[in-house]
C-alpha cells in the first residue's frame, strides 16, 4: 500500500498529517510512505526528517502517483489528486457539512473518503479521535491568547508595592477544549468558573477546582446529544441561562467560549448587551468563530474591540501549535489505520458493519454513503 502525505494547501494551515514517528510505524506494517516536499515545513519537521524515517520525499505528482491512501489535515481539492489509484482512500478532516460540494466531488471521482471528525465517541475510538486531540490544544491556546490580550496579570501577586488581584476567567462550554481551558487558567493562577448545558459536566468542572455556574430546576438541563455533544436547549432554559450568565459575565475579566453543535451554526452565548456590561479591558476568546461564533460581533481571523472589550477570533487555533497538533493528529491517523490493518495483506480492511467505519466513511463506490450527511 502506498500512502501519500500531502502538503496542506489551505490558507493558514501549518499542520502535517504524518510525523517521522508514524512514518516508521506505517513502514513497519508494510506500507510505502511518500511525503510531499515541504509538507512538514511549518510544523518543524524537515524533509530530511521524513527521509531519515524511511519515507520517499518528492513532488505532489510523484507522491500521488499510484497512491492507495491519501493523508491530509484538511480535505484536499479533488482536482489536485490526479494520479492516485482508482478508489483510493482519502483520510482527513473533511468538514462534510460545510464542504458538501467537495464530498460530492470525491464521490464522483470514485474516492473512498474518510471524514476523521465523524469518529464515533466510543471507548474503542478514543485514541483515533482528532476532535479531542486538536480541541485539547485549542483550549490551552485560547487561555494563552486571552492572557496575551489582557492587560493585567493572571495570578494574585503580593508585592511590596501592593497586591495584584487574580484574574477572573469564565469558560462557556465544557467539552475537551473547555476542560483544558479551565486547567490551563487554573495553572496560571486565575479564579476560574465555567458553565455548560450538560449537567454531567458539573462534577468535571469542580474536580478541576473551578466554580460551576449552572441553571437549576429548569427542564432541559441535560442537553446531551449523540456522542456526548450538546444539543439545542428549550426556550425556557435559554432564557434562564441568559439571565444567569448576564449577572456573572459582568464580573469577569476573560471569557472563553467553546460551544459547538455538529452540523449546525455555533450557538450564540454572549450578546452585545452582555459585552457592554463587561469592564473595559476585558477579553472574550471565541473558539467557535469559524462556525458562526458564540460571541456577537466576533470576526473570524481578527481581534476586534466592542464597548472597550477585546473579542479574539483566531482561525484554526490548533494550527497555531502546529508541531504538537501535527504529532497528535498523526498518531490519531495511525491508531485508526493500524486497528484495521491486515498484517498478511499489508493493507487496511474496513468491515462494512463496523461502528467506526460506518461513522467515518462518507463516500464509496461513486456515491455518498454517510447516514449523517444523507439525513442532513
Amino acid at each position: 500500500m502506498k500512502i501519500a502525505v500531502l502538503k496542506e494547501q489551505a490558507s493558514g494551515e501549518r499542520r502535517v498529517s504524518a510525523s517521522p514517528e508514524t512514518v516508521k510505524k506505517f513502514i513497519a506494517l508494510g506500507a510505502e510512505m511518500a511525503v510531499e516536499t515541504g509538507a512538514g515545513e511549518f510544523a518543524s519537521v524537515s524533509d530530511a526528517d521524513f527521509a531519515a524515517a524511511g519515507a520517499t520525499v518528492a513532488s505532489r505528482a510523484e507522491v500521488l502517483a499510484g497512491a492507495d491512501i491519501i493523508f491530509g489535515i484538511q480535505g484536499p481539492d479533488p482536482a489536485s489528486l490526479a494520479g492516485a489509484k482508482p478508489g483510493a482512500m482519502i483520510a482527513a478532516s473533511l468538514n462534510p457539512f460545510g464542504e458538501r460540494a467537495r464530498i460530492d466531488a470525491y464521490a464522483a471521482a470514485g474516492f473512498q473518503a474518510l471524514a476523521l471528525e465523524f469518529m464515533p465517541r466510543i471507548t474503542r475510538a478514543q485514541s483515533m479521535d482528532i476532535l479531542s486531540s486538536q480541541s485539547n490544544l485549542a483550549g490551552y491556546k485560547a487561555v494563552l491568547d486571552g492572557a496575551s490580550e489582557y492587560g493585567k496579570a493572571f495570578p494574585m501577586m503580593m508585592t511590596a508595592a501592593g497586591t495584584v488581584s487574580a484574574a477572573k476567567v469564565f469558560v462557556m462550554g465544557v467539552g475537551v477544549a473547555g476542560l483544558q481551558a479551565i486547567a490551563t487558567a487554573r495553572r496560571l493562577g486565575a479564579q476560574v468558573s465555567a458553565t455548560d448545558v450538560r449537567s454531567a459536566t458539573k462534577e468535571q468542572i469542580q474536580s478541576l477546582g473551578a466554580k460551576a455556574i449552572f441553571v437549576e430546576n429548569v427542564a432541559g438541563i441535560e442537553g446531551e446529544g449523540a456522542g456526548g455533544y450538546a444539543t439545542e436547549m428549550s426556550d425556557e432554559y435559554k432564557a434562564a441561562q441568559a439571565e444567569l450568565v448576564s449577572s456573572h459575565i459582568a464580573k469577569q475579566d476573560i471569557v472563553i467560549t467553546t460551544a459547538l453543535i455538529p452540523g449546525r451554526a455555533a450557538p450564540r452565548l454572549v450578546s452585545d448587551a452582555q459585552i457592554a456590561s463587561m469592564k473595559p479591558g476585558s477579553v472574550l476568546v471565541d473558539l467557535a468563530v469559524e462556525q458562526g461564533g458564540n460571541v456577537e460581533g466576533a470576526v473570524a481571523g481578527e481581534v476586534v474591540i466592542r464597548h472597550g472589550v477585546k473579542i479574539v477570533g483566531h482561525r484554526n487555533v490548533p494550527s497555531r501549535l502546529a508541531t504538537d497538533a501535527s504529532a497528535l493528529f498523526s498518531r490519531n491517523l495511525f491508531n485508526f489505520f493500524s486497528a484495521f490493518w491486515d498484517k498478511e495483506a499489508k493493507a487496511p480492511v474496513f468491515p462494512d458493519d463496523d461502528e467506526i467505519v460506518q461513522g467515518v466513511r462518507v463516500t464509496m463506490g461513486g456515491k455518498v454513503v454517510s447516514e449523517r450527511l444523507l439525513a442532513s
Side-chain angles (χ1 to χ4, degrees):
M1 296 294 286
K2 180 179 179 180
I3 300 176
V5 179
L6 301 183
K7 182 176 182 178
E8 297 300 311
Q9 295 182 324
S11 176
E13 183 55 77
R14 303 172 62 84
R15 294 170 291 175
V16 62
S17 55
S19 65
E21 171 195 333
T22 60
V23 164
K24 289 178 183 177
K25 288 181 176 180
F26 274 114
I27 291 173
L29 292 177
E32 175 192 350
M33 297 298 292
V35 178
E36 184 178 352
T37 302
E41 177 183 0
F42 299 113
S44 303
V45 185
S46 69
D47 291 343
D49 292 334
F50 280 123
T56 300
V57 180
S59 68
R60 192 179 189 90
E62 291 172 300
V63 164
L64 282 168
D68 301 281
I69 303 171
I70 300 166
F71 283 174
I73 296 289
Q74 298 190 37
D77 181 350
S80 74
L81 301 179
K85 279 188 180 176
M89 302 176 197
I90 300 171
S93 176
L94 301 180
N95 187 16
F97 292 116
E99 297 283 356
R100 178 58 192 269
R102 188 169 63 193
I103 299 299
D104 291 339
Y106 289 150
F111 290 113
Q112 181 181 170
L114 306 170
L116 300 178
E117 66 266 59
F118 276 10
M119 191 69 63
R121 288 287 174 93
I122 58 176
T123 302
R124 185 163 64 97
Q126 283 182 342
S127 67
M128 314 171 190
D129 188 355
I130 64 164
L131 290 183
S132 291
S133 71
Q134 304 302 292
S135 294
N136 188 52
L137 290 170
Y140 162 80
K141 187 64 171 173
V143 176
L144 299 190
D145 288 338
S148 69
E149 296 291 346
Y150 183 53
K152 302 178 185 178
F154 260 44
M156 184 181 76
M157 298 181 184
M158 301 182 72
T159 76
T163 300
V164 174
S165 298
K168 294 179 179 178
V169 175
F170 182 37
V171 178
M172 303 182 72
V174 187
V176 175
L179 288 170
Q180 183 57 251
I182 292 169
T184 302
R186 286 272 297 159
R187 284 195 292 267
L188 288 176
Q191 291 182 14
V192 185
S193 58
T195 190
D196 196 287
V197 299
R198 297 163 295 174
S199 60
T201 62
K202 191 170 186 177
E203 286 186 11
Q204 296 172 325
I205 293 168
Q206 293 170 336
S207 72
L208 290 171
K211 181 180 179 181
I213 306 296
F214 272 76
V215 173
E216 305 289 351
N217 304 319
V218 176
I221 191 172
E222 288 305 321
E224 193 84 17
Y229 290 100
T231 56
E232 285 285 1
M233 305 307 299
S234 67
D235 289 339
E236 182 187 7
Y237 183 93
K238 288 179 181 177
Q241 186 188 43
E243 183 179 352
L244 178 69
V245 168
S246 291
S247 63
H248 187 68
I249 207 169
K251 307 167 193 170
Q252 304 306 303
D253 300 306
I254 295 172
V255 178
I256 296 169
T257 67
T258 73
L260 291 169
I261 300 175
R264 303 184 66 171
R268 181 55 47 82
L269 302 182
V270 182
S271 68
D272 187 69
Q274 289 169 330
I275 297 170
S277 74
M278 297 178 71
K279 295 172 286 188
S282 300
V283 179
L284 284 152
V285 182
D286 190 343
L287 282 181
V289 69
E290 291 178 282
Q291 282 73 45
N294 298 143
V295 179
E296 186 174 354
V299 179
E302 296 184 22
V303 178
V304 298
I305 299 176
R306 291 173 73 100
H307 309 294
V309 176
K310 289 184 178 180
I311 305 174
V312 180
H314 292 307
R315 294 181 185 272
N316 195 355
V317 174
S319 183
R320 300 175 65 239
L321 292 166
T323 302
D324 284 336
S326 298
L328 296 180
F329 192 107
S330 301
R331 288 175 195 151
N332 293 145
L333 258 179
F334 176 79
N335 292 337
F336 170 51
F337 274 88
S338 63
F340 295 95
W341 200 268
D342 185 311
K343 292 183 179 178
E344 291 186 6
K346 295 183 178 179
V349 176
F350 294 121
D352 292 339
D353 61 351
D354 187 275
E355 183 178 2
I356 292 175
V357 176
Q358 291 175 345
V360 301
R361 183 188 279 157
V362 292
T363 70
M364 190 176 183
K367 58 186 179 181
V368 175
V369 296
S370 168
E371 291 184 7
R372 288 177 67 179
L373 271 184
L374 293 173
S376 65

